[in-house]
Amino acid sequence: QMSNQATSRSAVFAGLGGVGMGLASTLYMMNVPPSVYVQLGLASAAGAVAGQQIAERVGPTQLPQAVAGFHSLVGLAAASTAIGDFMTHDFSKLDGFHASSIYAGA
């Protein structure tokens, strides 16, 4: 329960566990060459370094700045995903939904 100071830390750990299980099951079910896992690892490390740099510059009382900083990372991730999707698929064979999602992400 996040509203209670005594139990809020356990809620954070439960959320981290859920995200970790989701990532682990996704990586387990992917059927890709090992080089893709290396790319994912490198991109994750770069994101972790960028996130750490932003977190070190923003104090606990600067919540709007923290939100803005991490939203910029989300925008970068969306644009990178759209560009990667565009590069790996034949654009002439994409339906309207996928083409518009690539456009919206980039």
Side-chain angles (χ1 to χ4, degrees), residues 12-105:
V12 171
F13 288 124
L16 287 171
V19 169
M21 285 189 290
L23 283 171
S25 62
T26 299
L27 292 173
Y28 177 75
M29 296 300 293
M30 288 174 57
N31 187 17
V32 294
S35 63
V36 173
Y37 290 113
V38 173
Q39 292 172 3
L40 285 171
L42 292 173
S44 297
V49 169
Q52 180 65 31
Q53 294 297 317
I54 293 171
E56 286 178 356
R57 292 183 184 154
V58 177
T61 59
Q62 298 171 313
L63 185 58
Q65 291 88 340
V67 171
F70 286 111
H71 278 167
S72 67
L73 290 178
V74 172
L76 179 64
S80 299
T81 302
I83 291 167
D85 213 13
F86 179 76
M87 292 172 63
T88 58
H89 292 95
D90 184 7
F91 196 70
S92 64
K93 296 180 182 177
L94 289 178
D95 60 358
F97 174 77
H98 288 96
S100 62
S101 68
I102 290 173
Y103 178 77

